[in-house]
Amino acid sequence: MTASELQDLLITTLVRKAGGSRRQWRIAIGPVRILDAATHPHCNWSVAPSGSSAEISAVERLLDDVRLTHPIVTGR
């Protein structure tokens, strides 16, 4: 899975679970940062969610689940 595919997965899941628009969630999630797998062997990506406390909470809950199924991603 690539970083852009992961971002699309996150956005689509949030629209389904929490409602709102794809644009709203794309802004709330922000870019997916790829980390060096040598120093982050269990999960090589991160995001820094922003927005309202409800949006950040929804993103954080989803990230916990997605990290279990997609811990390693490749570049864009």
Side-chain angles (χ1 to χ4, degrees), residues 10-62:
L10 295 171
I11 292 167
T12 300
T13 305
L14 285 164
V15 168
R16 277 193 216 132
K17 288 186 173 186
S21 69
R22 291 184 62 79
R23 181 179 185 280
Q24 168 196 356
W25 290 114
R26 184 175 304 277
I27 292 168
I29 292 169
V32 175
R33 289 185 24 217
I34 304 295
L35 308 169
D36 185 3
T39 58
H40 298 84
H42 300 291
C43 184
N44 77 329
W45 59 270
S46 69
V47 297
S50 62
S52 70
S53 60
E55 289 171 332
I56 293 170
S57 179
V59 172
E60 290 292 341
R61 280 192 308 272
L62 176 61

mmCIF file of all heavy atoms in Angstrom, residues 10-62:
data_model
loop_
_atom_site.group_PDB
_atom_site.id
_atom_site.type_symbol
_atom_site.label_atom_id
_atom_site.label_comp_id
_atom_site.label_asym_id
_atom_site.label_seq_id
_atom_site.Cartn_x
_atom_site.Cartn_y
_atom_site.Cartn_z
ATOM 1 N N LEU A 10 -8.194 6.010 4.705
ATOM 2 C CA LEU A 10 -8.575 6.722 5.911
ATOM 3 C C LEU A 10 -9.755 7.658 5.653
ATOM 4 O O LEU A 10 -10.723 7.681 6.417
ATOM 5 C CB LEU A 10 -7.387 7.519 6.460
ATOM 6 C CG LEU A 10 -6.194 6.713 6.965
ATOM 7 C CD1 LEU A 10 -5.017 7.636 7.257
ATOM 8 C CD2 LEU A 10 -6.560 5.899 8.186
ATOM 9 N N ILE A 11 -9.678 8.404 4.568
ATOM 10 C CA ILE A 11 -10.740 9.358 4.235
ATOM 11 C C ILE A 11 -12.052 8.637 3.982
ATOM 12 O O ILE A 11 -13.098 9.010 4.524
ATOM 13 C CB ILE A 11 -10.332 10.217 3.025
ATOM 14 C CG1 ILE A 11 -9.171 11.136 3.400
ATOM 15 C CG2 ILE A 11 -11.513 11.016 2.493
ATOM 16 C CD1 ILE A 11 -8.481 11.787 2.220
ATOM 17 N N THR A 12 -12.016 7.608 3.158
ATOM 18 C CA THR A 12 -13.236 6.859 2.830
ATOM 19 C C THR A 12 -13.864 6.265 4.078
ATOM 20 O O THR A 12 -15.088 6.326 4.269
ATOM 21 C CB THR A 12 -12.917 5.751 1.809
ATOM 22 O OG1 THR A 12 -12.388 6.358 0.633
ATOM 23 C CG2 THR A 12 -14.139 4.931 1.469
ATOM 24 N N THR A 13 -13.052 5.694 4.952
ATOM 25 C CA THR A 13 -13.565 5.094 6.184
ATOM 26 C C THR A 13 -14.188 6.142 7.099
ATOM 27 O O THR A 13 -15.257 5.914 7.682
ATOM 28 C CB THR A 13 -12.442 4.335 6.914
ATOM 29 O OG1 THR A 13 -11.875 3.378 6.013
ATOM 30 C CG2 THR A 13 -12.967 3.624 8.141
ATOM 31 N N LEU A 14 -13.558 7.292 7.217
ATOM 32 C CA LEU A 14 -14.102 8.344 8.063
ATOM 33 C C LEU A 14 -15.413 8.889 7.518
ATOM 34 O O LEU A 14 -16.341 9.162 8.287
ATOM 35 C CB LEU A 14 -13.086 9.472 8.236
ATOM 36 C CG LEU A 14 -11.945 9.135 9.187
ATOM 37 C CD1 LEU A 14 -10.790 10.100 9.015
ATOM 38 C CD2 LEU A 14 -12.435 9.140 10.620
ATOM 39 N N VAL A 15 -15.518 9.046 6.209
ATOM 40 C CA VAL A 15 -16.778 9.516 5.622
ATOM 41 C C VAL A 15 -17.894 8.529 5.944
ATOM 42 O O VAL A 15 -18.996 8.914 6.312
ATOM 43 C CB VAL A 15 -16.637 9.736 4.095
ATOM 44 C CG1 VAL A 15 -17.992 9.941 3.443
ATOM 45 C CG2 VAL A 15 -15.728 10.916 3.812
ATOM 46 N N ARG A 16 -17.605 7.230 5.830
ATOM 47 C CA ARG A 16 -18.614 6.203 6.127
ATOM 48 C C ARG A 16 -19.003 6.179 7.596
ATOM 49 O O ARG A 16 -20.172 6.075 7.939
ATOM 50 C CB ARG A 16 -18.094 4.821 5.732
ATOM 51 C CG ARG A 16 -18.275 4.513 4.301
ATOM 52 C CD ARG A 16 -18.029 3.038 4.034
ATOM 53 N NE ARG A 16 -17.396 2.922 2.736
ATOM 54 C CZ ARG A 16 -16.326 2.211 2.465
ATOM 55 N NH1 ARG A 16 -15.760 1.497 3.407
ATOM 56 N NH2 ARG A 16 -15.830 2.176 1.263
ATOM 57 N N LYS A 17 -17.997 6.225 8.470
ATOM 58 C CA LYS A 17 -18.260 6.066 9.902
ATOM 59 C C LYS A 17 -18.724 7.341 10.593
ATOM 60 O O LYS A 17 -19.541 7.284 11.509
ATOM 61 C CB LYS A 17 -17.007 5.545 10.610
ATOM 62 C CG LYS A 17 -16.692 4.105 10.313
ATOM 63 C CD LYS A 17 -15.534 3.629 11.147
ATOM 64 C CE LYS A 17 -15.322 2.148 10.965
ATOM 65 N NZ LYS A 17 -14.301 1.623 11.873
ATOM 66 N N ALA A 18 -18.168 8.480 10.206
ATOM 67 C CA ALA A 18 -18.440 9.712 10.939
ATOM 68 C C ALA A 18 -19.226 10.746 10.136
ATOM 69 O O ALA A 18 -19.628 11.757 10.683
ATOM 70 C CB ALA A 18 -17.123 10.329 11.408
ATOM 71 N N GLY A 19 -19.417 10.485 8.842
ATOM 72 C CA GLY A 19 -20.116 11.458 8.007
ATOM 73 C C GLY A 19 -19.187 12.575 7.583
ATOM 74 O O GLY A 19 -17.985 12.531 7.796
ATOM 75 N N GLY A 20 -19.744 13.591 6.989
ATOM 76 C CA GLY A 20 -18.941 14.708 6.523
ATOM 77 C C GLY A 20 -18.476 14.483 5.091
ATOM 78 O O GLY A 20 -18.853 13.510 4.434
ATOM 79 N N SER A 21 -17.617 15.364 4.638
ATOM 80 C CA SER A 21 -17.152 15.305 3.252
ATOM 81 C C SER A 21 -15.723 14.773 3.170
ATOM 82 O O SER A 21 -14.973 14.812 4.153
ATOM 83 C CB SER A 21 -17.204 16.698 2.614
ATOM 84 O OG SER A 21 -16.225 17.537 3.200
ATOM 85 N N ARG A 22 -15.372 14.317 1.987
ATOM 86 C CA ARG A 22 -13.995 13.857 1.755
ATOM 87 C C ARG A 22 -13.015 15.008 1.984
ATOM 88 O O ARG A 22 -11.946 14.806 2.545
ATOM 89 C CB ARG A 22 -13.841 13.286 0.351
ATOM 90 C CG ARG A 22 -14.592 11.964 0.168
ATOM 91 C CD ARG A 22 -14.341 11.370 -1.207
ATOM 92 N NE ARG A 22 -12.945 11.045 -1.444
ATOM 93 C CZ ARG A 22 -12.313 9.956 -0.986
ATOM 94 N NH1 ARG A 22 -12.961 9.054 -0.276
ATOM 95 N NH2 ARG A 22 -11.041 9.750 -1.261
ATOM 96 N N ARG A 23 -13.388 16.207 1.561
ATOM 97 C CA ARG A 23 -12.511 17.372 1.727
ATOM 98 C C ARG A 23 -12.263 17.650 3.212
ATOM 99 O O ARG A 23 -11.136 17.915 3.635
ATOM 100 C CB ARG A 23 -13.132 18.593 1.060
ATOM 101 C CG ARG A 23 -12.291 19.834 1.160
ATOM 102 C CD ARG A 23 -12.964 21.015 0.449
ATOM 103 N NE ARG A 23 -12.117 22.174 0.430
ATOM 104 C CZ ARG A 23 -11.958 23.025 1.448
ATOM 105 N NH1 ARG A 23 -12.609 22.835 2.575
ATOM 106 N NH2 ARG A 23 -11.156 24.065 1.336
ATOM 107 N N GLN A 24 -13.321 17.605 4.013
ATOM 108 C CA GLN A 24 -13.203 17.836 5.455
ATOM 109 C C GLN A 24 -12.199 16.873 6.071
ATOM 110 O O GLN A 24 -11.326 17.279 6.846
ATOM 111 C CB GLN A 24 -14.565 17.660 6.110
ATOM 112 C CG GLN A 24 -14.535 17.594 7.621
ATOM 113 C CD GLN A 24 -15.825 17.050 8.218
ATOM 114 O OE1 GLN A 24 -16.793 16.778 7.503
ATOM 115 N NE2 GLN A 24 -15.849 16.881 9.511
ATOM 116 N N TRP A 25 -12.304 15.587 5.738
ATOM 117 C CA TRP A 25 -11.434 14.584 6.349
ATOM 118 C C TRP A 25 -10.020 14.637 5.780
ATOM 119 O O TRP A 25 -9.058 14.374 6.493
ATOM 120 C CB TRP A 25 -12.046 13.191 6.231
ATOM 121 C CG TRP A 25 -13.249 13.073 7.113
ATOM 122 C CD1 TRP A 25 -14.546 12.905 6.728
ATOM 123 C CD2 TRP A 25 -13.280 13.163 8.539
ATOM 124 N NE1 TRP A 25 -15.373 12.881 7.813
ATOM 125 C CE2 TRP A 25 -14.625 13.033 8.950
ATOM 126 C CE3 TRP A 25 -12.314 13.341 9.515
ATOM 127 C CZ2 TRP A 25 -15.006 13.069 10.297
ATOM 128 C CZ3 TRP A 25 -12.696 13.382 10.851
ATOM 129 C CH2 TRP A 25 -14.022 13.250 11.220
ATOM 130 N N ARG A 26 -9.878 14.997 4.501
ATOM 131 C CA ARG A 26 -8.537 15.146 3.927
ATOM 132 C C ARG A 26 -7.781 16.242 4.676
ATOM 133 O O ARG A 26 -6.597 16.093 4.990
ATOM 134 C CB ARG A 26 -8.614 15.465 2.439
ATOM 135 C CG ARG A 26 -7.248 15.529 1.755
ATOM 136 C CD ARG A 26 -7.355 15.739 0.264
ATOM 137 N NE ARG A 26 -8.151 14.733 -0.388
ATOM 138 C CZ ARG A 26 -7.723 13.535 -0.765
ATOM 139 N NH1 ARG A 26 -6.477 13.188 -0.527
ATOM 140 N NH2 ARG A 26 -8.523 12.684 -1.367
ATOM 141 N N ILE A 27 -8.465 17.331 4.987
ATOM 142 C CA ILE A 27 -7.842 18.422 5.737
ATOM 143 C C ILE A 27 -7.535 17.975 7.163
ATOM 144 O O ILE A 27 -6.457 18.257 7.695
ATOM 145 C CB ILE A 27 -8.748 19.664 5.723
ATOM 146 C CG1 ILE A 27 -8.809 20.248 4.303
ATOM 147 C CG2 ILE A 27 -8.273 20.709 6.724
ATOM 148 C CD1 ILE A 27 -9.881 21.299 4.106
ATOM 149 N N ALA A 28 -8.466 17.271 7.792
ATOM 150 C CA ALA A 28 -8.274 16.824 9.181
ATOM 151 C C ALA A 28 -7.122 15.831 9.302
ATOM 152 O O ALA A 28 -6.358 15.879 10.276
ATOM 153 C CB ALA A 28 -9.557 16.204 9.722
ATOM 154 N N ILE A 29 -6.981 14.944 8.333
ATOM 155 C CA ILE A 29 -5.909 13.943 8.377
ATOM 156 C C ILE A 29 -4.566 14.565 8.032
ATOM 157 O O ILE A 29 -3.562 14.291 8.681
ATOM 158 C CB ILE A 29 -6.213 12.777 7.418
ATOM 159 C CG1 ILE A 29 -7.410 11.992 7.927
ATOM 160 C CG2 ILE A 29 -4.999 11.872 7.263
ATOM 161 C CD1 ILE A 29 -7.949 10.998 6.928
ATOM 162 N N GLY A 30 -4.538 15.393 7.031
ATOM 163 C CA GLY A 30 -3.276 15.968 6.570
ATOM 164 C C GLY A 30 -2.487 14.923 5.793
ATOM 165 O O GLY A 30 -2.984 13.827 5.501
ATOM 166 N N PRO A 31 -1.252 15.225 5.481
ATOM 167 C CA PRO A 31 -0.450 14.282 4.698
ATOM 168 C C PRO A 31 0.000 13.075 5.536
ATOM 169 O O PRO A 31 0.166 13.179 6.753
ATOM 170 C CB PRO A 31 0.757 15.110 4.253
ATOM 171 C CG PRO A 31 0.874 16.176 5.294
ATOM 172 C CD PRO A 31 -0.535 16.465 5.749
ATOM 173 N N VAL A 32 0.187 11.960 4.862
ATOM 174 C CA VAL A 32 0.746 10.767 5.501
ATOM 175 C C VAL A 32 2.264 10.878 5.391
ATOM 176 O O VAL A 32 2.803 10.991 4.296
ATOM 177 C CB VAL A 32 0.250 9.472 4.814
ATOM 178 C CG1 VAL A 32 0.942 8.250 5.415
ATOM 179 C CG2 VAL A 32 -1.254 9.348 4.936
ATOM 180 N N ARG A 33 2.930 10.892 6.530
ATOM 181 C CA ARG A 33 4.397 10.958 6.545
ATOM 182 C C ARG A 33 4.961 9.552 6.574
ATOM 183 O O ARG A 33 4.540 8.719 7.383
ATOM 184 C CB ARG A 33 4.891 11.711 7.776
ATOM 185 C CG ARG A 33 4.620 13.186 7.740
ATOM 186 C CD ARG A 33 5.239 13.930 8.919
ATOM 187 N NE ARG A 33 6.375 13.242 9.499
ATOM 188 C CZ ARG A 33 6.663 13.212 10.786
ATOM 189 N NH1 ARG A 33 5.900 13.823 11.651
ATOM 190 N NH2 ARG A 33 7.720 12.581 11.232
ATOM 191 N N ILE A 34 5.908 9.293 5.687
ATOM 192 C CA ILE A 34 6.588 7.998 5.660
ATOM 193 C C ILE A 34 7.855 8.117 6.503
ATOM 194 O O ILE A 34 8.659 9.022 6.311
ATOM 195 C CB ILE A 34 6.967 7.593 4.219
ATOM 196 C CG1 ILE A 34 5.736 7.576 3.321
ATOM 197 C CG2 ILE A 34 7.686 6.253 4.207
ATOM 198 C CD1 ILE A 34 4.720 6.537 3.689
ATOM 199 N N LEU A 35 8.019 7.189 7.430
ATOM 200 C CA LEU A 35 9.178 7.158 8.312
ATOM 201 C C LEU A 35 10.120 6.048 7.865
ATOM 202 O O LEU A 35 9.709 5.108 7.179
ATOM 203 C CB LEU A 35 8.721 6.935 9.755
ATOM 204 C CG LEU A 35 7.632 7.890 10.254
ATOM 205 C CD1 LEU A 35 7.079 7.405 11.580
ATOM 206 C CD2 LEU A 35 8.161 9.291 10.352
ATOM 207 N N ASP A 36 11.350 6.129 8.261
ATOM 208 C CA ASP A 36 12.349 5.123 7.901
ATOM 209 C C ASP A 36 12.003 3.790 8.579
ATOM 210 O O ASP A 36 11.897 3.722 9.807
ATOM 211 C CB ASP A 36 13.728 5.596 8.332
ATOM 212 C CG ASP A 36 14.849 4.672 7.893
ATOM 213 O OD1 ASP A 36 14.582 3.675 7.193
ATOM 214 O OD2 ASP A 36 16.003 4.965 8.250
ATOM 215 N N ALA A 37 11.833 2.754 7.788
ATOM 216 C CA ALA A 37 11.469 1.435 8.331
ATOM 217 C C ALA A 37 12.569 0.867 9.229
ATOM 218 O O ALA A 37 12.297 0.049 10.105
ATOM 219 C CB ALA A 37 11.149 0.472 7.201
ATOM 220 N N ALA A 38 13.804 1.306 9.043
ATOM 221 C CA ALA A 38 14.897 0.819 9.891
ATOM 222 C C ALA A 38 14.737 1.301 11.330
ATOM 223 O O ALA A 38 15.077 0.586 12.275
ATOM 224 C CB ALA A 38 16.238 1.281 9.329
ATOM 225 N N THR A 39 14.211 2.493 11.500
ATOM 226 C CA THR A 39 14.023 3.024 12.854
ATOM 227 C C THR A 39 12.599 2.872 13.358
ATOM 228 O O THR A 39 12.344 3.063 14.540
ATOM 229 C CB THR A 39 14.435 4.516 12.919
ATOM 230 O OG1 THR A 39 13.665 5.243 11.969
ATOM 231 C CG2 THR A 39 15.913 4.691 12.642
ATOM 232 N N HIS A 40 11.670 2.545 12.466
ATOM 233 C CA HIS A 40 10.259 2.348 12.821
ATOM 234 C C HIS A 40 9.770 1.037 12.194
ATOM 235 O O HIS A 40 8.928 1.045 11.308
ATOM 236 C CB HIS A 40 9.402 3.522 12.327
ATOM 237 C CG HIS A 40 9.775 4.824 12.929
ATOM 238 N ND1 HIS A 40 10.793 5.609 12.447
ATOM 239 C CD2 HIS A 40 9.274 5.466 14.010
ATOM 240 C CE1 HIS A 40 10.891 6.693 13.187
ATOM 241 N NE2 HIS A 40 9.988 6.626 14.150
ATOM 242 N N PRO A 41 10.283 -0.101 12.657
ATOM 243 C CA PRO A 41 9.977 -1.373 11.995
ATOM 244 C C PRO A 41 8.541 -1.870 12.187
ATOM 245 O O PRO A 41 8.075 -2.702 11.418
ATOM 246 C CB PRO A 41 10.969 -2.349 12.620
ATOM 247 C CG PRO A 41 11.263 -1.767 13.965
ATOM 248 C CD PRO A 41 11.192 -0.280 13.774
ATOM 249 N N HIS A 42 7.828 -1.379 13.180
ATOM 250 C CA HIS A 42 6.471 -1.870 13.442
ATOM 251 C C HIS A 42 5.396 -1.059 12.738
ATOM 252 O O HIS A 42 4.313 -1.574 12.466
ATOM 253 C CB HIS A 42 6.187 -1.911 14.941
ATOM 254 C CG HIS A 42 7.124 -2.814 15.668
ATOM 255 N ND1 HIS A 42 7.099 -4.179 15.516
ATOM 256 C CD2 HIS A 42 8.142 -2.556 16.520
ATOM 257 C CE1 HIS A 42 8.058 -4.723 16.245
ATOM 258 N NE2 HIS A 42 8.703 -3.758 16.864
ATOM 259 N N CYS A 43 5.682 0.193 12.444
ATOM 260 C CA CYS A 43 4.740 1.061 11.730
ATOM 261 C C CYS A 43 5.539 2.235 11.172
ATOM 262 O O CYS A 43 6.045 3.053 11.943
ATOM 263 C CB CYS A 43 3.641 1.558 12.663
ATOM 264 S SG CYS A 43 2.395 2.531 11.807
ATOM 265 N N ASN A 44 5.657 2.312 9.857
ATOM 266 C CA ASN A 44 6.535 3.320 9.261
ATOM 267 C C ASN A 44 5.804 4.547 8.723
ATOM 268 O O ASN A 44 6.297 5.231 7.841
ATOM 269 C CB ASN A 44 7.394 2.699 8.161
ATOM 270 C CG ASN A 44 6.630 2.475 6.872
ATOM 271 O OD1 ASN A 44 5.437 2.230 6.879
ATOM 272 N ND2 ASN A 44 7.331 2.556 5.760
ATOM 273 N N TRP A 45 4.643 4.850 9.257
ATOM 274 C CA TRP A 45 3.914 6.031 8.798
ATOM 275 C C TRP A 45 3.240 6.727 9.969
ATOM 276 O O TRP A 45 3.027 6.139 11.021
ATOM 277 C CB TRP A 45 2.885 5.676 7.730
ATOM 278 C CG TRP A 45 1.844 4.679 8.175
ATOM 279 C CD1 TRP A 45 1.921 3.317 8.066
ATOM 280 C CD2 TRP A 45 0.596 4.957 8.812
ATOM 281 N NE1 TRP A 45 0.792 2.739 8.597
ATOM 282 C CE2 TRP A 45 -0.050 3.721 9.052
ATOM 283 C CE3 TRP A 45 -0.054 6.124 9.190
ATOM 284 C CZ2 TRP A 45 -1.296 3.628 9.652
ATOM 285 C CZ3 TRP A 45 -1.299 6.032 9.795
ATOM 286 C CH2 TRP A 45 -1.908 4.790 10.008
ATOM 287 N N SER A 46 2.937 7.998 9.751
ATOM 288 C CA SER A 46 2.227 8.757 10.776
ATOM 289 C C SER A 46 1.448 9.885 10.120
ATOM 290 O O SER A 46 1.724 10.258 8.977
ATOM 291 C CB SER A 46 3.195 9.334 11.818
ATOM 292 O OG SER A 46 3.982 10.354 11.238
ATOM 293 N N VAL A 47 0.474 10.392 10.832
ATOM 294 C CA VAL A 47 -0.264 11.588 10.437
ATOM 295 C C VAL A 47 -0.374 12.476 11.665
ATOM 296 O O VAL A 47 -0.251 12.006 12.793
ATOM 297 C CB VAL A 47 -1.669 11.269 9.865
ATOM 298 C CG1 VAL A 47 -1.578 10.455 8.600
ATOM 299 C CG2 VAL A 47 -2.550 10.599 10.871
ATOM 300 N N ALA A 48 -0.612 13.750 11.425
ATOM 301 C CA ALA A 48 -0.802 14.710 12.517
ATOM 302 C C ALA A 48 -2.174 15.351 12.325
ATOM 303 O O ALA A 48 -2.295 16.380 11.678
ATOM 304 C CB ALA A 48 0.298 15.758 12.500
ATOM 305 N N PRO A 49 -3.230 14.711 12.843
ATOM 306 C CA PRO A 49 -4.581 15.226 12.616
ATOM 307 C C PRO A 49 -4.787 16.608 13.225
ATOM 308 O O PRO A 49 -4.163 16.966 14.229
ATOM 309 C CB PRO A 49 -5.483 14.193 13.283
ATOM 310 C CG PRO A 49 -4.621 13.402 14.175
ATOM 311 C CD PRO A 49 -3.218 13.533 13.688
ATOM 312 N N SER A 50 -5.668 17.355 12.582
ATOM 313 C CA SER A 50 -6.015 18.682 13.073
ATOM 314 C C SER A 50 -7.518 18.879 12.902
ATOM 315 O O SER A 50 -8.181 18.060 12.279
ATOM 316 C CB SER A 50 -5.246 19.756 12.311
ATOM 317 O OG SER A 50 -5.605 19.718 10.941
ATOM 318 N N GLY A 51 -8.030 19.951 13.452
ATOM 319 C CA GLY A 51 -9.459 20.233 13.355
ATOM 320 C C GLY A 51 -10.085 20.299 14.724
ATOM 321 O O GLY A 51 -9.407 20.547 15.728
ATOM 322 N N SER A 52 -11.372 20.037 14.760
ATOM 323 C CA SER A 52 -12.089 20.064 16.041
ATOM 324 C C SER A 52 -11.686 18.857 16.882
ATOM 325 O O SER A 52 -11.116 17.889 16.379
ATOM 326 C CB SER A 52 -13.600 20.040 15.801
ATOM 327 O OG SER A 52 -13.991 18.765 15.307
ATOM 328 N N SER A 53 -12.012 18.909 18.155
ATOM 329 C CA SER A 53 -11.672 17.776 19.026
ATOM 330 C C SER A 53 -12.400 16.509 18.580
ATOM 331 O O SER A 53 -11.851 15.408 18.671
ATOM 332 C CB SER A 53 -11.991 18.094 20.484
ATOM 333 O OG SER A 53 -13.359 18.381 20.649
ATOM 334 N N ALA A 54 -13.617 16.642 18.065
ATOM 335 C CA ALA A 54 -14.354 15.474 17.572
ATOM 336 C C ALA A 54 -13.680 14.884 16.336
ATOM 337 O O ALA A 54 -13.596 13.657 16.200
ATOM 338 C CB ALA A 54 -15.800 15.855 17.261
ATOM 339 N N GLU A 55 -13.198 15.743 15.449
ATOM 340 C CA GLU A 55 -12.514 15.250 14.245
ATOM 341 C C GLU A 55 -11.211 14.552 14.608
ATOM 342 O O GLU A 55 -10.933 13.456 14.118
ATOM 343 C CB GLU A 55 -12.232 16.414 13.280
ATOM 344 C CG GLU A 55 -13.464 16.960 12.618
ATOM 345 C CD GLU A 55 -13.202 18.236 11.845
ATOM 346 O OE1 GLU A 55 -12.264 18.991 12.196
ATOM 347 O OE2 GLU A 55 -13.951 18.489 10.891
ATOM 348 N N ILE A 56 -10.436 15.160 15.475
ATOM 349 C CA ILE A 56 -9.164 14.553 15.887
ATOM 350 C C ILE A 56 -9.411 13.227 16.581
ATOM 351 O O ILE A 56 -8.719 12.237 16.326
ATOM 352 C CB ILE A 56 -8.369 15.519 16.793
ATOM 353 C CG1 ILE A 56 -7.924 16.735 15.974
ATOM 354 C CG2 ILE A 56 -7.166 14.822 17.422
ATOM 355 C CD1 ILE A 56 -7.337 17.866 16.811
ATOM 356 N N SER A 57 -10.413 13.160 17.416
ATOM 357 C CA SER A 57 -10.752 11.923 18.114
ATOM 358 C C SER A 57 -11.155 10.828 17.135
ATOM 359 O O SER A 57 -10.721 9.674 17.267
ATOM 360 C CB SER A 57 -11.872 12.193 19.114
ATOM 361 O OG SER A 57 -12.235 11.019 19.782
ATOM 362 N N ALA A 58 -11.962 11.160 16.144
ATOM 363 C CA ALA A 58 -12.389 10.179 15.146
ATOM 364 C C ALA A 58 -11.191 9.660 14.359
ATOM 365 O O ALA A 58 -11.065 8.458 14.107
ATOM 366 C CB ALA A 58 -13.417 10.793 14.205
ATOM 367 N N VAL A 59 -10.284 10.549 13.994
ATOM 368 C CA VAL A 59 -9.087 10.147 13.253
ATOM 369 C C VAL A 59 -8.223 9.242 14.120
ATOM 370 O O VAL A 59 -7.771 8.187 13.671
ATOM 371 C CB VAL A 59 -8.287 11.375 12.763
ATOM 372 C CG1 VAL A 59 -6.944 10.947 12.179
ATOM 373 C CG2 VAL A 59 -9.082 12.164 11.736
ATOM 374 N N GLU A 60 -7.977 9.620 15.345
ATOM 375 C CA GLU A 60 -7.122 8.831 16.239
ATOM 376 C C GLU A 60 -7.685 7.428 16.477
ATOM 377 O O GLU A 60 -6.936 6.447 16.505
ATOM 378 C CB GLU A 60 -6.923 9.554 17.574
ATOM 379 C CG GLU A 60 -6.067 10.802 17.473
ATOM 380 C CD GLU A 60 -4.611 10.522 17.154
ATOM 381 O OE1 GLU A 60 -4.142 9.387 17.338
ATOM 382 O OE2 GLU A 60 -3.933 11.469 16.706
ATOM 383 N N ARG A 61 -8.997 7.318 16.662
ATOM 384 C CA ARG A 61 -9.609 5.996 16.851
ATOM 385 C C ARG A 61 -9.389 5.132 15.606
ATOM 386 O O ARG A 61 -9.068 3.943 15.716
ATOM 387 C CB ARG A 61 -11.106 6.121 17.138
ATOM 388 C CG ARG A 61 -11.421 6.488 18.565
ATOM 389 C CD ARG A 61 -12.904 6.328 18.879
ATOM 390 N NE ARG A 61 -13.775 7.017 17.939
ATOM 391 C CZ ARG A 61 -14.166 8.281 18.049
ATOM 392 N NH1 ARG A 61 -13.754 9.006 19.063
ATOM 393 N NH2 ARG A 61 -14.977 8.821 17.150
ATOM 394 N N LEU A 62 -9.563 5.711 14.439
ATOM 395 C CA LEU A 62 -9.377 4.959 13.212
ATOM 396 C C LEU A 62 -7.915 4.565 13.023
ATOM 397 O O LEU A 62 -7.625 3.447 12.599
ATOM 398 C CB LEU A 62 -9.854 5.785 12.007
ATOM 399 C CG LEU A 62 -9.631 5.144 10.639
ATOM 400 C CD1 LEU A 62 -10.378 3.814 10.532
ATOM 401 C CD2 LEU A 62 -10.049 6.096 9.535
#
